Amino acid sequence: MTDSTFSVPWWRQLNRYHWFVFAVASGAWFFDCLDQRLFSLARIPALASLMGKAGSDPVVQAFGKEVTAYFLIGWGIGGMIFGALGDKYGRSRMLTVTILIYSGFTGLSFFSRTALDFTICRFLTGLGVGGVFGLAVALIAETVPSGARAQSLGLLQVLSTVGNVGAGFAMKGITSLEKAGTIQAGSGWRWMFLIGALPAVLVVFTGKYLREPDAWLKLKASGRLDQGGIFEPYRSLFAAARWRKNLIVGALIASTGVVGLWAIGEYAVDLQSSVFKTYFDSKAPTELVQRVNDLRLSVKGISATDTEALAKAAAETKGAEAKLNAWTKSQVDDAKFWAYLWQMLGAAVGMWIFTKVASAVSRRFAFAGGFLAAMVVTFLVYWKMDSPVDAYWMMPLMGAAQLSLFAGFAIYLPELFPSRLRSTGTSFCYNLGRFAAAAGAFYSAKLTEIFAKSYAVPAPYRYSAMVMCSIFLVGLVTLIFAPETRGLPLPEEETEGD
């Protein structure tokens, strides 16, 4: 049965329970993405506070990439473990567990006192975050009618952008509270992580009403689920030639996109911080700049023996500089917020376009266009972005190119494996990319340090990302070996073979 077979629109093929499953699975992924973005936005402010250094300090920037790497390692491990547990004990049950883990440890990040315990919390958060995707897409893929599968899974990813945008609005609100003195200045990052504990409320719904898919229940009733240890599903995946090939292909395709986002695109905000500051420093109000310059000149004209006058002038200068810096920071934060909002709008459009192309033409064609666009656009953004105006049109393009691929992962990966191995296979492919992205983050950090020896900021941010863009070639080459799944039913036990 093909994606275009049904004359009835895909959304009309869903009954109330189908929509409920979609809402719960999408909610889990929505909050998962919210957590990811909260971390992205609060990572540098948190480490600057905990390490007692400026956020622009290369040491803080480099350690931020290392924390991201440990988060991704936890993500990968969690995905591997909970994917297999989802096949063994049920998708809905394990989805509940993963939500509790990632929401709990995100909330605990609020209490971090050192960079070390902050890193540990992020690693443990990653364990829960990593399990959600494979479980959520398996749940939807096995529940909704086949004529609505691709569109439902694509929409799952489109809605994930709402979680990302929600994190941006949360940061904006918390920043306003800091400015108003409602919460202590410099502690906003803590409150952002506390917001990340909210997904635990979703557990109430998943625990009471969510059922396991019929396909999984039939396997359980007939005793065809793997009966060995937690990693028995992996043995089954690697034992059969068909599933082994699909596992390798899926892992390489997913790893390419994940590295592109988390080891390259993730750090666009750091480049923005640098170039936006330079831009707004040149646009600062004349009266603020003149006031600072006049006070600095007045300090030079005071006799070194007149300590009282020197102290007073120094205090006035410091106050004027603080006011000027506050203005610049406010402008930079606002520009970053709007750049990110446009990026997420672009991502939503890109993911929906990918879904339409994958449904109407082919999965492989959609991936080829996505990888090529991601490589070209990401290189362009890091090379040429010099102002907020640049960011407002470049970031939507990068969001559309990079994140369109993630709609493809939701659609394509569950189509590669049978029901008894679907959660394991999907999670393995998607989360192996986290280990690759962790390695990419370490490599990117090293490249940044190398370029920093020869070039001034922000050139090291630019050049390290531009070098990393070559990763998208891996995805393009892998497509040569990828099976086309458009129009085919989900593979089941009776179709298994070597």
Side-chain angles (χ1 to χ4, degrees):
M1 189 174 291
T2 66
D3 294 333
S4 57
T5 296
F6 295 94
S7 58
V8 178
W10 69 271
W11 63 87
R12 292 186 179 176
Q13 299 173 39
L14 305 182
N15 60 31
R16 290 179 65 183
Y17 183 70
H18 294 150
W19 280 114
F20 172 73
V21 171
F22 176 80
V24 172
S26 297
W29 188 231
F30 162 89
F31 283 116
D32 191 301
C33 293
L34 175 75
D35 180 279
Q36 297 170 39
R37 186 56 190 170
L38 286 172
F39 168 62
S40 298
L41 293 171
R43 174 186 61 229
I44 295 301
L47 291 174
S49 173
L50 295 171
M51 298 173 73
K53 298 179 181 291
S56 59
D57 191 306
V59 174
V60 173
Q61 292 288 331
F63 195 77
K65 293 185 176 184
E66 292 177 14
V67 174
T68 301
Y70 287 115
F71 175 54
L72 292 169
I73 291 171
W75 190 329
I77 293 173
M80 301 294 184
I81 293 174
F82 286 108
L85 290 176
D87 281 331
K88 192 172 181 63
Y89 297 110
R91 288 84 159 96
S92 63
R93 182 182 300 178
M94 289 301 106
L95 188 61
T96 298
V97 173
T98 57
I99 292 170
L100 287 173
I101 291 174
Y102 79 68
S103 60
F105 284 107
T106 297
L108 284 175
S109 299
F110 174 91
F111 301 101
S112 294
R113 290 293 176 267
T114 68
L116 175 61
D117 62 69
F118 177 76
T119 303
I120 292 171
C121 277
R122 296 319 301 165
F123 170 80
L124 295 173
T125 300
L127 294 178
V129 166
V132 171
F133 180 81
L135 296 167
V137 300
L139 198 57
I140 291 177
E142 295 173 351
T143 300
V144 304
S146 60
R149 186 176 66 240
Q151 293 86 345
S152 298
L153 291 169
L155 185 57
L156 167 83
Q157 284 288 30
V158 171
L159 292 178
S160 70
T161 61
V162 180
N164 292 330
V165 171
F169 278 106
M171 182 177 187
K172 197 169 182 65
I174 288 173
T175 300
S176 297
L177 292 175
E178 278 190 293
K179 290 179 180 177
T182 306
I183 60 177
Q184 183 179 352
S187 67
W189 65 269
R190 296 186 184 276
W191 294 96
M192 288 182 68
F193 284 116
L194 197 60
I195 290 173
L198 292 177
V201 177
L202 188 63
V203 169
V204 175
F205 296 98
T206 60
K208 282 189 174 182
Y209 307 111
L210 197 62
R211 304 191 303 265
E212 297 297 342
D214 289 340
W216 185 86
L217 290 173
K218 289 177 182 177
L219 289 172
K220 181 181 180 182
S222 62
R224 286 187 290 165
L225 296 176
D226 287 310
Q227 300 299 312
I230 182 177
F231 294 111
E232 184 64 19
Y234 288 105
R235 188 198 66 78
S236 299
L237 278 171
F238 283 101
R242 179 183 178 185
W243 311 135
R244 183 169 61 248
K245 177 191 173 184
N246 286 359
L247 194 70
I248 295 171
V249 167
L252 287 174
I253 287 175
S255 294
T256 299
V258 173
V259 171
L261 179 65
W262 280 94
I264 309 175
E266 169 71 6
Y267 304 114
V269 68
D270 298 335
L271 175 62
Q272 290 169 14
S273 295
S274 179
V275 299
F276 289 4
K277 184 179 185 306
T278 300
Y279 176 84
F280 284 113
D281 279 344
S282 69
K283 303 292 183 180
T286 304
E287 62 273 15
L288 291 179
V289 175
Q290 189 62 49
R291 174 64 173 164
V292 170
N293 290 336
D294 289 344
L295 287 170
R296 287 173 178 170
L297 285 174
S298 69
V299 170
K300 294 180 180 179
I302 298 173
S303 171
T305 59
D306 193 347
T307 56
E308 184 176 346
L310 277 174
K312 181 180 179 181
E316 289 179 348
T317 303
K318 186 176 180 180
E321 289 173 341
K323 186 177 292 186
L324 178 60
N325 291 336
W327 181 90
T328 301
K329 183 178 184 303
S330 175
Q331 299 301 309
V332 169
D333 289 344
D334 283 346
K336 286 164 62 177
F337 171 79
W338 289 109
Y340 183 70
L341 184 61
W342 283 111
Q343 181 185 3
M344 287 300 101
L345 290 174
V349 172
M351 287 192 279
W352 191 242
I353 290 174
F354 188 105
T355 300
K356 299 292 283 186
V357 173
S359 299
V361 184
S362 77
R363 313 309 198 220
R364 294 173 66 194
F365 182 82
F367 271 120
F371 284 133
L372 185 61
M375 180 171 63
V376 173
V377 172
T378 303
F379 188 95
L380 172 68
V381 169
Y382 275 93
W383 181 24
K384 292 296 186 180
M385 186 168 63
D386 282 313
S387 72
V389 175
D390 292 338
Y392 295 157
W393 67 267
M394 288 182 173
M395 295 307 295
L397 292 178
M398 191 170 86
Q402 287 191 351
L403 286 160
S404 67
L405 299 167
F406 285 72
F409 303 152
I411 295 167
Y412 187 62
L413 296 180
E415 296 176 335
L416 298 177
F417 309 103
S419 290
R420 72 184 179 91
L421 302 172
R422 186 162 293 125
S423 177
T424 303
T426 300
S427 293
F428 179 89
C429 291
Y430 190 67
N431 291 296
L432 184 68
R434 305 300 160 179
F435 294 108
F442 282 123
Y443 183 61
S444 178
K446 188 64 176 178
L447 283 175
T448 301
E449 292 176 357
I450 291 172
F451 285 123
K453 295 177 181 178
S454 304
Y455 302 95
V457 172
Y461 306 152
R462 296 186 189 277
Y463 298 154
S464 60
M466 290 161 67
V467 170
M468 293 286 292
C469 282
S470 58
I471 188 65
F472 292 109
L473 294 173
V474 174
L476 285 168
V477 172
T478 303
L479 290 176
I480 297 171
F481 309 97
E484 180 53 55
T485 57
R486 177 182 175 271
L488 301 178
L490 291 174
E492 296 299 342
E493 289 295 321
E494 60 268 25
T495 65
E496 287 188 41
D498 294 350

